[in-house]
Coordinates of all heavy atoms in Angstrom, one line a residue:
M26 N 0.8 -1.2 0.0 CA 0.0 0.0 0.0 C 0.9 1.2 0.0 O 1.9 1.3 0.7 CB -0.9 0.1 1.2 CG -1.7 -1.1 1.5 SD -3.3 -1.0 0.6 CE -3.7 -2.7 0.5
G27 N 0.5 2.2 -0.7 CA 1.2 3.5 -0.7 C 0.6 4.5 0.2 O -0.3 4.2 1.0
A28 N 1.0 5.7 0.1 CA 0.5 6.8 0.8 C -0.9 7.1 0.4 O -1.4 6.7 -0.7 CB 1.3 8.1 0.7
I29 N -1.7 7.8 1.2 CA -3.1 8.2 0.8 C -3.0 9.2 -0.3 O -2.3 10.2 -0.2 CB -3.8 8.8 2.0 CG1 -3.9 7.8 3.1 CG2 -5.2 9.3 1.6 CD1 -4.5 8.3 4.4
T30 N -3.7 8.9 -1.4 CA -3.7 9.7 -2.6 C -5.1 10.1 -2.9 O -6.0 9.7 -2.2 CB -3.1 8.9 -3.8 OG1 -3.9 7.7 -4.0 CG2 -1.7 8.5 -3.5
A31 N -5.2 11.0 -3.9 CA -6.5 11.5 -4.3 C -7.5 10.4 -4.8 O -8.7 10.6 -4.7 CB -6.3 12.6 -5.3
G32 N -7.0 9.4 -5.3 CA -7.9 8.3 -5.8 C -7.3 7.0 -5.5 O -6.2 6.8 -4.9
G33 N -8.1 5.9 -5.8 CA -7.6 4.6 -5.6 C -7.9 4.0 -4.2 O -8.6 4.6 -3.4
T34 N -7.2 2.9 -3.9 CA -7.4 2.2 -2.7 C -7.0 3.0 -1.5 O -7.6 3.0 -0.4 CB -6.6 0.9 -2.7 OG1 -7.0 0.2 -3.9 CG2 -7.0 0.0 -1.5
G35 N -5.9 3.8 -1.6 CA -5.4 4.6 -0.5 C -6.4 5.6 0.0 O -6.6 5.8 1.2
A36 N -7.1 6.2 -0.9 CA -8.1 7.2 -0.5 C -9.3 6.5 0.1 O -9.9 7.0 1.1 CB -8.6 8.0 -1.8
L37 N -9.6 5.3 -0.3 CA -10.7 4.5 0.3 C -10.4 4.2 1.7 O -11.2 4.3 2.6 CB -11.0 3.3 -0.6 CG -12.2 2.4 -0.1 CD1 -13.5 3.1 -0.1 CD2 -12.2 1.1 -0.9
Y38 N -9.2 3.7 1.9 CA -8.8 3.3 3.3 C -8.7 4.6 4.2 O -9.1 4.6 5.3 CB -7.4 2.6 3.3 CG -7.5 1.2 2.8 CD1 -6.5 0.8 1.9 CD2 -8.4 0.3 3.2 CE1 -6.5 -0.5 1.4 CE2 -8.5 -1.0 2.7 CZ -7.5 -1.4 1.8 OH -7.6 -2.7 1.3
G39 N -8.3 5.7 3.6 CA -8.2 6.9 4.4 C -9.6 7.4 4.8 O -9.8 7.8 5.9
A40 N -10.6 7.3 3.9 CA -11.9 7.6 4.2 C -12.5 6.7 5.3 O -13.2 7.2 6.1 CB -12.8 7.5 2.9
G41 N -12.1 5.4 5.2 CA -12.6 4.5 6.2 C -12.0 4.9 7.6 O -12.7 4.9 8.6
I42 N -10.7 5.2 7.6 CA -10.1 5.6 8.9 C -10.8 6.8 9.4 O -11.1 7.0 10.6 CB -8.6 5.7 8.7 CG1 -7.9 4.4 8.5 CG2 -8.0 6.4 10.0 CD1 -6.5 4.5 8.1
G43 N -11.0 7.8 8.5 CA -11.6 9.1 9.0 C -13.0 8.8 9.5 O -13.5 9.4 10.5
A44 N -13.8 7.9 8.8 CA -15.2 7.6 9.3 C -15.2 7.0 10.7 O -15.9 7.4 11.6 CB -15.9 6.7 8.3
V45 N -14.3 6.0 10.9 CA -14.2 5.3 12.2 C -13.7 6.3 13.3 O -14.3 6.3 14.4 CB -13.3 4.1 12.1 CG1 -13.0 3.5 13.5 CG2 -13.9 3.1 11.2
A46 N -12.8 7.2 12.9 CA -12.3 8.2 13.9 C -13.5 9.2 14.2 O -13.7 9.5 15.4 CB -11.1 9.0 13.3
G47 N -14.3 9.5 13.3 CA -15.4 10.4 13.5 C -16.4 9.8 14.4 O -17.0 10.4 15.3
L48 N -16.7 8.5 14.2 CA -17.6 7.8 15.1 C -17.1 7.7 16.6 O -17.8 7.9 17.5 CB -17.8 6.3 14.6 CG -18.7 6.2 13.4 CD1 -18.6 4.8 12.9 CD2 -20.1 6.6 13.7
H49 N -15.8 7.5 16.7 CA -15.2 7.5 18.0 C -15.2 8.8 18.7 O -15.4 8.9 19.9 CB -13.8 6.9 18.0 CG -13.7 5.4 17.9 ND1 -14.0 4.6 19.0 CD2 -13.5 4.6 16.9 CE1 -13.9 3.3 18.6 NE2 -13.6 3.3 17.3
V50 N -15.1 9.9 18.0 CA -15.2 11.2 18.5 C -16.7 11.4 19.0 O -16.9 11.9 20.1 CB -14.8 12.3 17.5 CG1 -15.2 13.7 18.0 CG2 -13.3 12.3 17.3
A51 N -17.6 11.0 18.2 CA -19.0 11.1 18.6 C -19.3 10.3 19.8 O -20.0 10.8 20.8 CB -19.9 10.7 17.4
F52 N -18.8 9.1 19.9 CA -19.0 8.3 21.1 C -18.4 8.9 22.3 O -19.0 8.9 23.4 CB -18.4 6.9 20.9 CG -19.1 6.1 19.8 CD1 -18.3 5.1 19.1 CD2 -20.4 6.3 19.4 CE1 -18.9 4.4 18.1 CE2 -20.9 5.5 18.4 CZ -20.2 4.6 17.7
C53 N -17.2 9.5 22.1 CA -16.5 10.1 23.2 C -17.3 11.3 23.8 O -17.5 11.4 25.0 CB -15.1 10.6 22.8 SG -14.2 11.6 24.0
V54 N -17.8 12.1 22.9 CA -18.6 13.3 23.4 C -19.9 12.8 24.1 O -20.2 13.3 25.2 CB -19.0 14.2 22.2 CG1 -20.0 15.2 22.6 CG2 -17.7 14.8 21.7
A55 N -20.6 11.8 23.5 CA -21.8 11.3 24.1 C -21.6 10.7 25.5 O -22.3 10.9 26.4 CB -22.5 10.3 23.2
E56 N -20.5 9.9 25.6 CA -20.3 9.2 26.9 C -19.7 10.1 27.9 O -20.0 9.9 29.1 CB -19.3 8.0 26.6 CG -20.1 7.0 25.8 CD -19.1 5.9 25.2 OE1 -17.9 6.1 25.1 OE2 -19.6 4.9 24.7
V57 N -18.8 11.0 27.6 CA -18.2 11.9 28.6 C -19.1 13.0 29.0 O -19.2 13.3 30.2 CB -16.8 12.4 28.1 CG1 -16.2 13.5 29.0 CG2 -15.8 11.3 27.9
F58 N -19.7 13.7 28.0 CA -20.4 14.9 28.4 C -21.9 14.8 28.5 O -22.5 15.6 29.2 CB -20.1 16.0 27.3 CG -18.6 16.3 27.2 CD1 -17.9 15.9 26.2 CD2 -18.0 17.0 28.3 CE1 -16.5 16.1 26.1 CE2 -16.6 17.2 28.2 CZ -15.9 16.8 27.1
V59 N -22.6 13.9 27.8 CA -24.1 13.8 27.9 C -24.6 12.5 28.3 O -25.8 12.2 28.1 CB -24.7 14.3 26.5 CG1 -24.4 15.7 26.2 CG2 -24.2 13.4 25.4
W60 N -23.8 11.7 29.0 CA -24.3 10.3 29.4 C -25.5 10.4 30.3 O -26.5 9.7 30.1 CB -23.1 9.7 30.2 CG -23.5 8.3 30.8 CD1 -24.0 8.0 32.0 CD2 -23.3 7.1 30.1 NE1 -24.1 6.7 32.1 CE2 -23.7 6.1 31.0 CE3 -22.8 6.7 28.8 CZ2 -23.6 4.7 30.6 CZ3 -22.7 5.4 28.5 CH2 -23.1 4.4 29.4
E61 N -25.5 11.3 31.3 CA -26.6 11.4 32.2 C -27.9 11.9 31.6 O -29.0 11.6 32.1 CB -26.2 12.2 33.4 CG -25.2 11.6 34.3 CD -24.9 12.4 35.6 OE1 -25.8 12.9 36.2 OE2 -23.7 12.5 35.9
T62 N -27.9 12.6 30.5 CA -29.1 13.1 29.9 C -29.5 12.2 28.7 O -30.7 12.1 28.4 CB -29.0 14.6 29.4 OG1 -27.8 14.7 28.6 CG2 -28.8 15.5 30.6
L63 N -28.5 11.7 28.0 CA -28.7 10.9 26.8 C -29.3 9.5 27.1 O -30.2 9.1 26.4 CB -27.5 10.8 25.9 CG -27.6 10.2 24.6 CD1 -28.6 11.0 23.7 CD2 -26.3 10.1 23.9
T64 N -28.7 8.8 28.0 CA -29.2 7.4 28.3 C -30.6 7.4 28.7 O -31.3 6.5 28.2 CB -28.2 6.7 29.2 OG1 -28.1 7.4 30.4 CG2 -26.9 6.4 28.6
P65 N -31.1 8.2 29.6 CA -32.5 8.2 29.9 C -33.4 8.5 28.7 O -34.5 7.9 28.5 CB -32.7 9.2 31.0 CG -31.4 9.4 31.6 CD -30.4 9.2 30.5
R66 N -33.0 9.5 27.9 CA -33.7 9.9 26.7 C -33.8 8.8 25.7 O -34.9 8.6 25.1 CB -33.1 11.1 26.1 CG -33.9 11.7 25.0 CD -33.3 13.0 24.4 NE -33.2 14.0 25.5 CZ -32.4 15.0 25.4 NH1 -31.6 15.2 24.4 NH2 -32.3 15.8 26.4
L67 N -32.8 8.0 25.6 CA -32.8 6.8 24.7 C -33.5 5.6 25.3 O -33.7 4.6 24.6 CB -31.4 6.5 24.2 CG -30.6 7.5 23.4 CD1 -29.2 7.1 23.2 CD2 -31.3 7.7 22.1
G68 N -33.8 5.7 26.6 CA -34.5 4.6 27.2 C -33.5 3.5 27.7 O -33.9 2.4 28.0
V69 N -32.2 3.8 27.7 CA -31.2 2.8 28.1 C -31.3 2.6 29.6 O -31.3 1.5 30.1 CB -29.8 3.2 27.7 CG1 -28.8 2.2 28.2 CG2 -29.8 3.3 26.2
F70 N -31.3 3.7 30.4 CA -31.4 3.7 31.8 C -32.4 4.8 32.2 O -32.6 5.7 31.5 CB -30.0 4.1 32.5 CG -28.9 3.1 32.2 CD1 -27.7 3.6 31.7 CD2 -29.0 1.8 32.5 CE1 -26.6 2.7 31.5 CE2 -28.0 0.9 32.2 CZ -26.8 1.3 31.7
D71 N -32.9 4.6 33.5 CA -33.6 5.8 34.0 C -32.6 6.8 34.6 O -31.4 6.5 34.6 CB -34.6 5.3 35.1 CG -33.9 4.6 36.3 OD1 -32.7 4.7 36.4 OD2 -34.6 3.9 37.1
A72 N -33.1 7.9 35.0 CA -32.2 9.0 35.4 C -31.3 8.6 36.6 O -30.1 8.9 36.6 CB -33.0 10.2 35.8
A73 N -31.8 7.9 37.6 CA -31.0 7.4 38.7 C -29.9 6.5 38.3 O -28.8 6.6 38.7 CB -31.9 6.8 39.8
R74 N -30.3 5.5 37.5 CA -29.2 4.6 37.0 C -28.2 5.3 36.1 O -27.0 4.9 36.2 CB -29.9 3.4 36.2 CG -29.0 2.3 35.8 CD -28.6 1.5 37.0 NE -27.9 0.3 36.5 CZ -27.0 -0.3 37.2 NH1 -26.7 0.1 38.5 NH2 -26.4 -1.3 36.7
A75 N -28.6 6.2 35.3 CA -27.7 7.0 34.5 C -26.7 7.7 35.4 O -25.5 7.8 35.1 CB -28.4 8.0 33.6
R76 N -27.1 8.3 36.5 CA -26.2 9.0 37.4 C -25.2 7.9 38.1 O -24.0 8.2 38.2 CB -27.0 9.7 38.5 CG -27.4 11.1 38.1 CD -28.0 11.9 39.3 NE -29.1 11.2 40.0 CZ -30.3 11.2 39.6 NH1 -30.7 11.8 38.5 NH2 -31.3 10.5 40.3
E77 N -25.8 6.8 38.4 CA -24.9 5.7 39.1 C -23.9 5.2 38.1 O -22.8 4.9 38.5 CB -25.8 4.6 39.5 CG -26.7 4.9 40.6 CD -27.7 3.7 40.9 OE1 -27.6 2.7 40.2 OE2 -28.6 3.9 41.8
T78 N -24.2 5.2 36.8 CA -23.2 4.6 35.9 C -22.4 5.6 35.1 O -21.7 5.3 34.2 CB -24.0 3.7 34.8 OG1 -25.0 4.5 34.2 CG2 -24.7 2.5 35.5
S79 N -22.5 6.9 35.5 CA -21.9 8.0 34.7 C -20.4 7.8 34.8 O -19.7 8.2 33.8 CB -22.3 9.3 35.3 OG -21.8 9.5 36.6
V80 N -19.8 7.3 35.8 CA -18.3 7.1 35.9 C -17.9 6.1 34.8 O -16.9 6.3 34.1 CB -17.9 6.7 37.3 CG1 -16.4 6.4 37.3 CG2 -18.2 7.8 38.3
V81 N -18.7 5.0 34.7 CA -18.4 4.0 33.7 C -18.5 4.6 32.3 O -17.7 4.4 31.4 CB -19.3 2.8 33.8 CG1 -19.1 1.8 32.7 CG2 -19.1 2.1 35.2
G82 N -19.5 5.4 32.1 CA -19.7 6.1 30.8 C -18.6 7.0 30.5 O -18.1 7.0 29.3
R83 N -18.1 7.8 31.4 CA -16.9 8.6 31.2 C -15.7 7.8 30.9 O -14.9 8.2 30.0 CB -16.7 9.5 32.4 CG -17.7 10.6 32.5 CD -17.4 11.6 33.6 NE -18.5 12.5 33.8 CZ -19.4 12.4 34.8 NH1 -19.2 11.5 35.7 NH2 -20.4 13.3 34.9
N84 N -15.5 6.7 31.5 CA -14.4 5.8 31.3 C -14.4 5.3 29.8 O -13.4 5.3 29.1 CB -14.3 4.7 32.2 CG -13.1 3.8 32.1 OD1 -12.0 4.4 31.9 ND2 -13.3 2.5 32.2
M85 N -15.6 4.9 29.4 CA -15.7 4.4 28.0 C -15.5 5.6 27.0 O -14.9 5.4 26.0 CB -17.1 3.9 27.8 CG -17.4 2.6 28.5 SD -18.9 1.7 28.1 CE -20.1 3.0 28.6
G86 N -15.9 6.8 27.4 CA -15.7 7.9 26.5 C -14.2 8.3 26.4 O -13.8 8.6 25.3
V87 N -13.5 8.2 27.5 CA -12.0 8.4 27.4 C -11.4 7.4 26.5 O -10.5 7.7 25.7 CB -11.4 8.4 28.8 CG1 -9.9 8.4 28.7 CG2 -11.9 9.6 29.6
Y88 N -11.8 6.1 26.6 CA -11.3 5.1 25.8 C -11.5 5.4 24.3 O -10.7 5.3 23.5 CB -11.9 3.8 26.2 CG -11.7 2.6 25.2 CD1 -10.5 1.9 25.2 CD2 -12.7 2.2 24.3 CE1 -10.3 0.8 24.4 CE2 -12.5 1.2 23.5 CZ -11.3 0.5 23.5 OH -11.2 -0.6 22.6
N89 N -12.8 5.8 24.0 CA -13.1 6.1 22.6 C -12.4 7.4 22.1 O -12.0 7.5 21.0 CB -14.6 6.3 22.5 CG -15.3 5.0 22.3 OD1 -15.0 4.2 21.4 ND2 -16.2 4.7 23.2
G90 N -12.1 8.3 23.0 CA -11.4 9.5 22.7 C -9.9 9.2 22.3 O -9.3 9.7 21.4
I91 N -9.3 8.2 23.1 CA -8.0 7.8 22.8 C -7.9 7.1 21.5 O -7.0 7.3 20.7 CB -7.4 6.9 24.0 CG1 -7.2 7.8 25.2 CG2 -6.1 6.2 23.6 CD1 -7.0 7.0 26.5
L92 N -8.9 6.2 21.2 CA -8.9 5.5 19.9 C -9.1 6.5 18.8 O -8.4 6.4 17.7 CB -10.0 4.5 19.9 CG -9.8 3.3 20.7 CD1 -11.1 2.4 20.6 CD2 -8.6 2.5 20.1
A93 N -9.9 7.5 19.0 CA -10.1 8.6 17.9 C -8.8 9.3 17.7 O -8.4 9.6 16.5 CB -11.2 9.5 18.3
A94 N -8.1 9.7 18.8 CA -6.9 10.4 18.6 C -5.8 9.6 17.9 O -5.1 10.1 17.0 CB -6.3 10.9 20.0
C95 N -5.7 8.3 18.2 CA -4.8 7.4 17.5 C -5.1 7.3 16.0 O -4.2 7.3 15.2 CB -4.8 6.1 18.2 SG -4.0 6.0 19.8
L96 N -6.4 7.2 15.7 CA -6.8 7.1 14.3 C -6.5 8.4 13.6 O -6.1 8.3 12.4 CB -8.2 6.7 14.2 CG -8.6 5.3 14.6 CD1 -10.1 5.1 14.7 CD2 -8.0 4.3 13.6
I97 N -6.8 9.5 14.2 CA -6.5 10.8 13.5 C -5.0 11.0 13.3 O -4.5 11.4 12.2 CB -7.1 11.9 14.3 CG1 -8.6 11.9 14.2 CG2 -6.6 13.3 13.8 CD1 -9.4 12.7 15.2
W98 N -4.2 10.6 14.3 CA -2.8 10.6 14.2 C -2.3 9.7 13.0 O -1.5 10.1 12.2 CB -2.1 10.3 15.5 CG -0.6 10.1 15.4 CD1 0.3 11.1 15.3 CD2 0.1 8.9 15.2 NE1 1.6 10.6 15.2 CE2 1.5 9.2 15.1 CE3 -0.3 7.6 15.1 CZ2 2.5 8.3 14.9 CZ3 0.7 6.6 14.9 CH2 2.1 7.0 14.8
L99 N -2.9 8.5 13.0 CA -2.5 7.6 12.0 C -2.9 8.1 10.6 O -2.1 8.0 9.6 CB -3.4 6.3 12.2 CG -3.2 5.1 11.3 CD1 -1.9 4.4 11.5 CD2 -4.4 4.1 11.5
L100 N -3.9 8.8 10.5 CA -4.4 9.4 9.2 C -3.5 10.5 8.8 O -3.2 10.7 7.6 CB -5.8 9.8 9.3 CG -6.6 10.2 8.1 CD1 -6.6 9.1 7.1 CD2 -8.0 10.7 8.4
L101 N -3.1 11.4 9.7 CA -2.4 12.6 9.4 C -0.9 12.5 9.4 O -0.2 13.2 8.6 CB -2.8 13.7 10.3 CG -4.3 14.1 10.3 CD1 -4.6 15.2 11.3 CD2 -4.7 14.6 8.9
A102 N -0.3 11.7 10.2 CA 1.1 11.7 10.5 C 1.9 10.8 9.5 O 3.1 11.0 9.4 CB 1.4 11.3 11.9
T103 N 1.3 9.8 8.9 CA 2.0 8.9 8.1 C 1.3 8.6 6.8 O 0.1 8.9 6.7 CB 2.2 7.5 8.8 OG1 0.9 6.9 9.0 CG2 2.9 7.7 10.2
G104 N 2.0 8.0 5.9 CA 1.4 7.4 4.7 C 0.7 6.2 5.1 O 1.0 5.6 6.1
L105 N -0.3 5.8 4.3 CA -1.1 4.6 4.6 C -0.4 3.4 4.0 O -0.1 3.3 2.8 CB -2.5 4.7 4.0 CG -3.5 3.7 4.4 CD1 -3.7 3.8 5.9 CD2 -4.8 4.0 3.7
D106 N 0.0 2.4 4.9 CA 0.7 1.2 4.5 C 0.0 0.0 5.2 O -1.0 0.2 5.9 CB 2.2 1.2 4.7 CG 2.6 1.5 6.1 OD1 1.7 1.3 7.0 OD2 3.7 1.8 6.4
A107 N 0.6 -1.1 5.0 CA 0.0 -2.3 5.6 C -0.1 -2.3 7.1 O -1.1 -2.7 7.7 CB 0.8 -3.6 5.2
S108 N 0.8 -1.6 7.8 CA 0.8 -1.6 9.2 C -0.4 -0.7 9.7 O -1.0 -0.9 10.7 CB 2.1 -1.1 9.8 OG 2.3 0.3 9.4
N109 N -0.7 0.4 8.9 CA -1.8 1.2 9.2 C -3.1 0.5 9.1 O -4.0 0.6 9.9 CB -1.9 2.4 8.2 CG -0.7 3.3 8.3 OD1 0.2 3.3 7.4 ND2 -0.5 4.0 9.4
I110 N -3.2 -0.4 8.1 CA -4.4 -1.2 7.9 C -4.6 -2.2 9.0 O -5.7 -2.4 9.5 CB -4.4 -1.9 6.5 CG1 -4.2 -0.9 5.4 CG2 -5.6 -2.8 6.3 CD1 -5.3 0.2 5.3
R111 N -3.5 -2.7 9.5 CA -3.5 -3.6 10.6 C -4.0 -2.9 11.9 O -4.8 -3.4 12.7 CB -2.2 -4.3 10.9 CG -1.9 -5.4 10.0 CD -0.7 -6.2 10.4 NE 0.5 -5.5 10.5 CZ 1.4 -5.2 9.5 NH1 1.1 -5.7 8.3 NH2 2.4 -4.5 9.6
S112 N -3.5 -1.6 12.0 CA -4.0 -0.8 13.2 C -5.4 -0.5 13.1 O -6.1 -0.6 14.1 CB -3.2 0.5 13.2 OG -1.8 0.3 13.3
L113 N -5.9 -0.2 11.9 CA -7.4 0.1 11.8 C -8.2 -1.2 12.1 O -9.2 -1.1 12.8 CB -7.7 0.6 10.4 CG -9.2 0.8 10.1 CD1 -9.8 1.8 11.0 CD2 -9.3 1.2 8.6
S114 N -7.7 -2.3 11.6 CA -8.4 -3.6 11.9 C -8.4 -3.9 13.4 O -9.4 -4.4 13.9 CB -7.7 -4.7 11.2 OG -7.7 -4.5 9.8
T115 N -7.3 -3.6 14.1 CA -7.3 -3.8 15.5 C -8.3 -2.9 16.2 O -9.1 -3.4 17.1 CB -5.9 -3.4 16.1 OG1 -5.0 -4.3 15.4 CG2 -5.8 -3.7 17.6
V116 N -8.5 -1.7 15.8 CA -9.5 -0.8 16.4 C -10.9 -1.3 16.1 O -11.7 -1.4 17.0 CB -9.3 0.7 15.9 CG1 -10.5 1.5 16.3 CG2 -8.0 1.3 16.4
L117 N -11.1 -1.7 14.9 CA -12.4 -2.2 14.5 C -12.8 -3.5 15.3 O -13.9 -3.7 15.8 CB -12.5 -2.5 13.0 CG -12.5 -1.3 12.1 CD1 -12.4 -1.7 10.7 CD2 -13.7 -0.4 12.4
L118 N -11.8 -4.4 15.5 CA -12.1 -5.6 16.2 C -12.2 -5.4 17.7 O -12.9 -6.1 18.4 CB -10.9 -6.6 16.0 CG -10.9 -7.2 14.6 CD1 -9.7 -8.0 14.3 CD2 -12.2 -8.0 14.3
S119 N -11.5 -4.3 18.3 CA -11.6 -4.1 19.7 C -13.0 -3.6 20.1 O -13.3 -3.5 21.3 CB -10.5 -3.1 20.1 OG -10.8 -1.8 19.6
N120 N -13.8 -3.1 19.2 CA -15.1 -2.6 19.5 C -16.1 -3.6 19.1 O -17.2 -3.7 19.3 CB -15.3 -1.3 18.8 CG -14.4 -0.2 19.4 OD1 -14.5 0.0 20.6 ND2 -13.7 0.4 18.6

């Protein structure tokens, strides 16, 4: 695999990495900042249970934020090669 280019497979992989990073940023924001209001609204927990589990939610949010930062670094700091694809696969499998 070569560096991310305007077309071809490299651009497709780059778009995939960007999409996964964007999802992890969204998960991070939801879990760290709006856990106590979002989970009752979605019907996952009632308000009391959302407060009780907010520390766990923040922990998951930090985890997702770290994954997002790693993916963004991967996308911006290096060319896309086989090791980058393995890294993306590891992130996808870990979730």
